[in-house]
Amino acid sequence: MFFHIVLERNMQLHPRHFGRDLREKLVSKLMKDVEGTCSGRHGFIVAITGIESVGKGLIRDGTGFVTFPVKYQCVVFRPFKGEILEAVVTMVNKMGFFAEAGPVQIFVSNHLIPDDMEFQSGDVPNYTTSDGSVKIQKESEVRLKIIGTRVDATEIFCIGTIKDDFLGVISDPGANA
């Protein structure tokens, strides 16, 4: 799920930033450009934890910009098949529901919801057990298992299930009302 890895990136800096605080400008630009992004290969970059090295800059022809190779340590979030996550439901419809676990969006199909839960349309669409004791609706917290992932260049999508033991609703926002 979470990994601490070393990555490299070429950073371009405008000449107006050259001076005493060149390294700080590079680091702040790196954090702004990289944190919160997703690379399909490594996952979502959560935070930069350290700078290993800043190489010598190369001036780009025709411009005053200089390219610096930067090697940095970071924490990444990458979900895997078979992993158990806690997520917050963001949308419910008759096809299933969407939930978010940090930056990743997970879809749980109605075929992967226990058979005793039925879709209820109305003011607040939800999945409810026949006795009404358990309800999945927007803002519900669920524990789910990832059964599949699809990785794009800039995003990771997951398919989940709550049909196994110890999976399902953790907290129900409707119970507090």
Side-chain angles (χ1 to χ4, degrees), residues 10-177:
N10 288 327
M11 298 298 300
Q12 292 186 12
L13 208 57
H14 192 274
R16 73 173 161 253
H17 300 296
F18 298 168
R20 269 191 221 134
D21 56 350
L22 174 71
R23 183 178 170 90
E24 287 76 29
K25 296 275 187 189
L26 266 174
V27 171
S28 66
K29 185 174 183 342
L30 177 71
M31 287 180 165
K32 185 175 152 242
D33 290 354
V34 170
E35 286 181 347
T37 62
C38 176
S39 85
R41 184 172 179 207
H42 302 291
F44 295 93
I45 298 174
V46 178
I48 294 174
T49 58
I51 305 297
E52 287 206 348
S53 65
V54 177
K56 292 185 177 183
L58 294 171
I59 300 171
R60 293 188 50 207
D61 291 337
T63 68
F65 283 88
V66 176
T67 304
F68 293 91
V70 180
K71 192 182 268 191
Y72 59 97
Q73 300 169 355
C74 60
V75 175
V76 295
F77 173 74
R78 172 103 193 236
F80 287 99
K81 185 177 175 180
E83 194 166 12
I84 307 293
L85 293 175
E86 292 182 0
V88 177
V89 175
T90 55
M91 187 177 84
V92 178
N93 61 34
K94 67 180 179 180
M95 302 301 290
F97 65 85
F98 287 92
E100 288 180 353
V104 71
Q105 188 171 44
I106 304 155
F107 176 69
V108 178
S109 166
N110 58 7
H111 300 295
L112 299 169
I113 295 173
D115 297 331
D116 68 332
M117 297 190 92
E118 291 283 325
F119 177 71
Q120 309 288 322
S121 59
D123 292 346
V124 181
N126 61 69
Y127 282 89
T128 309
T129 55
S130 53
D131 64 356
S133 62
V134 179
K135 187 183 282 188
I136 297 174
Q137 62 188 25
K138 188 174 180 177
E139 302 297 320
S140 293
E141 290 180 29
V142 293
R143 182 174 293 122
L144 50 82
K145 180 179 181 180
I146 295 176
I147 58 169
T149 60
R150 188 183 90 213
V151 178
D152 286 349
T154 59
E155 220 168 340
I156 299 174
F157 302 98
C158 296
I159 302 292
T161 181
I162 59 169
K163 223 173 180 176
D164 281 348
D165 293 339
F166 307 108
L167 302 180
V169 178
I170 301 169
S171 78
D172 180 5
N176 299 337

